[in-house]
Amino acid sequence: MSGHAVFGAAAFRAIANFYGTDAIPFTFVSDEFNGITRDQNGEVRPLRPRSFETLSQAAAENARSRIYLGIHWAFDASQGIALGNRIADAMSANFLLPVPDHRRYAVGAGAGGGSRVRLMDSATGRPVLDTFAFPGFSGGARVAAGDVTGDGVPDLVAGAGAGGGPHVKVFDGATGEVVRSLLAFAPDFRGGVWVSTGDVDGDGVAEVVVGAGEGGGPHVKVFGRDGAVVRELMAFDPGFRGGARVAAGDVDGDGLADLVVGAGLGGTAHVKVFDGATGAEARSFLADAPSLADGVYVAAGDVDGNGRADIVTGAGGSNRVQVFAGGGEVMQSFAAFAPSVRPATGGVRVGAADVDGDGRADLLTAAGPGDAPVVECRNATDLAQLERMYAFEPEFLGGVHV
């Protein structure tokens, strides 16, 4: 049997299986007869392109070439093609499988909505997980999505809202089961926690990033897969008691997620970026007027496809949303929501996720308390609306976290 025939047939059949058709015409020029190389007499070999209407035609000619060279018989070629096709079919059926589309983002109910959380499928707009993170607790849940378990499926991370203590849970995105539960700060702290995810150490698995809620100071921690603290810092003046709202993304382009922190309630719209590898402060800027004292919500994602995460901010007391490049330059600035949804006092919570599947992060905005539980998604380039939905029942006015 001709190994040459086997390898060639397997390669062409695998391509046909991938594209769903054998009818892929192409022209091939070998390294020998390309009009450039020379033969044993020093003469330039002629250009001899070969054209095929189907991939199987090329596989047949590849197999016949061994007969022309006097190495194999015709039955070696035909049997080799048959075996190569069987190998390719087995590989296509069992190993070369389509990568599942796991574009997901999380939403969590604000105060009064229990601790209801949902993990949303971006492709369908439907929840793949819908549960109460902290049964019996009515103070809401802050949320994030990221592959914490390392199985390639985004998981849901939930942090208790104000009044619920520093409780954080991780729900497996594939099974819905709780795979991690921890107290991020002292057990008697009741300011709640802000959560995010990002791979700060380059191991291919997202760590859990946590910021203290109101009353807990600007305390930020990063928890590894074993629950150990791998990074810890005070993002602002330790005397500030408004807490620290957190996000994570590779702002500096070194392949590791950096920590993006926004001042909590009572602070200005102060945003800082800390190097994920070292914890050192790398950026610091105001996202809004210094006179405002409602804090700022933050998110991070590569909205322009340059390989670096950009910073998304949502005002703490209005519906203003801005997108900043890593150096602090404004890329976008707009008012979220239709006129019927005006989070004048509840602010606008923000997120970043690739909802439309173009490889770039889109902008998620969610209404704060006092308004309908609306979540909108916009393309960051032209601000075109991609999606608008009610995250929870329309009559719920406790706000939404994304």
Side-chain angles (χ1 to χ4, degrees):
M1 184 181 297
S2 169
H4 199 83
V6 174
F7 304 148
F12 286 116
R13 182 62 162 257
I15 295 172
N17 288 342
F18 179 82
Y19 287 105
T21 179
D22 180 58
I24 301 177
F26 70 99
T27 297
F28 169 78
V29 176
S30 73
D31 290 335
E32 289 82 9
F33 293 98
N34 58 6
I36 300 174
T37 58
R38 298 178 182 272
D39 62 18
Q40 67 273 20
N41 298 317
E43 300 292 329
V44 176
R45 295 188 177 100
L47 176 64
R48 294 282 189 260
R50 295 290 299 140
S51 296
F52 306 95
E53 292 300 318
T54 65
L55 297 171
S56 56
Q57 286 178 357
E61 182 163 304
N62 170 73
R64 287 197 300 271
S65 70
R66 312 306 283 175
I67 302 173
Y68 299 150
L69 290 173
I71 298 174
H72 289 293
W73 303 94
F75 65 82
D76 292 317
S78 60
Q79 290 185 13
I81 291 174
L83 178 57
N85 288 341
R86 291 199 298 273
I87 292 172
D89 290 344
M91 291 294 293
S92 298
N94 297 285
F95 299 100
L96 302 179
L97 302 175
V99 176
D101 187 350
H102 290 314
R103 292 177 289 115
R104 295 176 179 177
Y105 61 92
V107 296
S115 56
R116 191 177 180 185
V117 294
R118 284 176 159 182
L119 188 61
M120 308 299 295
D121 186 311
S122 297
T124 65
R126 298 177 179 274
V128 295
L129 173 63
D130 188 344
T131 189
F132 288 85
F134 310 102
F137 174 63
S138 61
R142 290 91 179 249
V143 292
D147 184 14
V148 177
T149 56
D151 63 355
V153 180
D155 307 301
L156 187 150
V157 180
H167 200 178
V168 177
K169 287 184 180 181
V170 178
F171 294 84
D172 190 290
T175 67
E177 298 296 319
V178 177
V179 293
R180 195 172 306 172
S181 179
L182 59 91
L183 294 179
F185 304 106
D188 58 351
F189 174 62
R190 289 291 179 267
V193 289
W194 300 97
V195 293
S196 185
T197 65
D199 183 8
V200 303
D201 57 9
D203 65 353
V205 178
E207 281 73 50
V208 176
V209 183
V210 177
E214 292 78 11
H219 201 173
V220 177
K221 290 183 180 182
V222 180
F223 292 88
R225 66 172 70 191
D226 60 356
V229 177
V230 298
R231 200 81 69 242
E232 185 172 8
L233 56 91
M234 299 296 282
F236 306 106
D237 186 319
F240 174 62
R241 311 312 295 173
R245 298 161 180 170
V246 293
D250 185 11
V251 176
D252 58 13
D254 66 353
L256 304 177
D258 305 301
L259 308 179
V260 180
V261 186
L265 188 64
T268 62
H270 197 176
V271 178
K272 286 188 178 183
V273 179
F274 296 87
D275 187 280
T278 66
E281 183 178 321
R283 310 271 197 287
S284 179
F285 63 91
L286 287 178
D288 217 320
S291 59
L292 300 179
D294 298 303
V296 61
Y297 297 99
V298 292
D302 182 8
V303 304
D304 56 6
N306 69 349
R308 296 170 180 253
D310 306 294
I311 299 168
V312 186
T313 64
S318 72
N319 59 348
R320 187 180 186 189
V321 177
Q322 297 191 92
V323 182
F324 297 85
E329 306 84 2
V330 178
M331 301 170 65
Q332 290 285 9
S333 181
F334 65 97
F337 310 113
S340 60
V341 181
R342 297 181 298 275
T345 58
V348 54
R349 287 78 180 267
V350 291
D354 182 12
V355 173
D356 59 7
D358 66 353
R360 301 183 181 190
D362 303 301
L363 308 177
L364 296 169
T365 55
D371 292 285
V374 173
V375 174
E376 290 183 347
C377 176
R378 295 180 183 272
N379 181 291
T381 302
D382 58 9
L383 300 183
Q385 185 170 292
L386 303 174
E387 185 176 299
R388 187 177 190 272
M389 69 167 188
Y390 285 97
F392 304 104
E393 288 72 16
E395 61 272 18
F396 174 64
L397 301 179
V400 183
H401 296 284
V402 291

